[in-house]
Structures are given as C-alpha cells and as structure tokens.
C-alpha cells in the first residue's frame, strides 16, 4: 500500500467517523434538553429558613474540677501518676530542676497558674487543675504545662 493509498483510506475513515458524529448531534441535543419538570427529574429541595446559628466560639479550656461537695475532697495527684510524670509535676515548685525543665521560671507555681482553681473544701493548699481532672494539685506545685495568668 502506497502512501497515497494509506492517506486516502485515512481520509475516508475520518469522514465516515465525522459523519456519524454529526448525525448524532440531534440525538444528543434531545437527550440534553429533556424536560426537567418530568416526574423523574430531581427537584431542588426547598429548605425552610433556619435561624442563623451564633458564631462559633473557640473552645475554652475545661474548667478545673472542684470537689463535688465541701468536705468531699478529690484525691490528691501523686507525683508518680503517669500524666504527672509526663508533665514533670511536683508538689513543691522549689523541687523543680531548672536545668531539666527549660520552661520553668522562678516564681511559677500552681496557685499562680491560670489552670489552677483553688479548692473550697478542707484542702486549703490544694486545688483543681484542668490538666489533671478529678485530682487535686498542690498550690505550691508546678508542672511544665504552667500557664501565665491573663
Ligand atoms: Fe499546676 Fe498549672 Fe501544672 Fe496544673 S497546669 S499542675 S495548676 S502548674
């Protein structure tokens, strides 16, 4: 087969294919322009006007848990508690090894941490802490989650 014969064959093939596609255009138009109001066509759903919800507030830190009632103090956090150990909690901030705790600064204590909530029970030197829910931390304590009061 010569180049000219191949070229003629390709042209015939192209024209045949093009003719078929041109013949399909009315069919495609009919399908594309079907009546949207037919019973099978999906209808836009109307939703009743909803009141606009108030803007979302950023989640606040969970309030420190206090004892359920005066005289029913929560248990005291143990320094050996796994979470306490992970945060280097100590009952007395004077025991903090500043060389091991770069976040520690002199004067930081639980009772001047914004996460501390003084307890109203008999445990005057102990209070709640949102880092350790359900446990009391010592007012003189410290951990590396200490947060400055605003
Ligand atoms: Fe104390 Fe604050 Fe640490 Fe709680 S987060 S243990 S109050 S230093």
């Amino acid at each position: 087969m010569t180049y000219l014969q191949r070229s003629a064959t390709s042209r015939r093939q192209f024209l045949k294919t093009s003719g078929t596609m041109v013949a399909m255009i009315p069919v495609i138009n009919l399908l594309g322009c079907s009546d949207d109001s037919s019973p099978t066509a999906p209808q836009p759903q109307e939703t009743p006007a909803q009141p606009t919800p108030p803007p979302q507030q950023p989640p606040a830190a969970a309030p420190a848990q206090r004892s359920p009632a005066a005289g029913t103090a929560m248990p005291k956090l143990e320094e050996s508690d796994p979470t306490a150990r992970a945060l280097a909690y100590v009952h007395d901030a004077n025991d903090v090894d500043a060389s091991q705790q770069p976040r520690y600064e002199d004067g930081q204590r639980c009772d001047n941490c914004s996460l501390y909530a003084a307890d109203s029970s008999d445990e005057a030197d102990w209070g709640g802490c949102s880092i350790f829910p359900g446990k009391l931390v010592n007012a003189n304590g410290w951990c590396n989650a200490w947060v400055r009061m605003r």
Side-chain angles (χ1 to χ4, degrees), residues 89 109-110 113 115-116 128-129 131-132 137 141-143 145-147:
Y89 170 82
R109 299 167 13 136
C110 287
C113 168
L115 303 181
Y116 183 77
C129 169
I131 298 291
F132 301 103
V137 296
W142 182 87
C143 84
W146 184 90
V147 178

Side-chain angles (χ1 to χ4, degrees), residues 35-90:
D35 185 6
D36 283 345
S37 62
S38 66
T40 56
Q43 299 293 317
Q45 294 191 350
E46 289 198 18
T47 54
Q50 296 289 326
T52 305
Q56 293 285 325
Q57 296 292 325
Q65 292 190 355
R66 295 171 186 267
S67 59
T72 314
M74 290 185 290
K76 295 174 183 172
L77 177 68
E78 299 289 338
E79 291 181 355
S80 59
D81 178 282
T83 308
R85 290 171 58 104
L87 294 174
Y89 170 82
V90 290

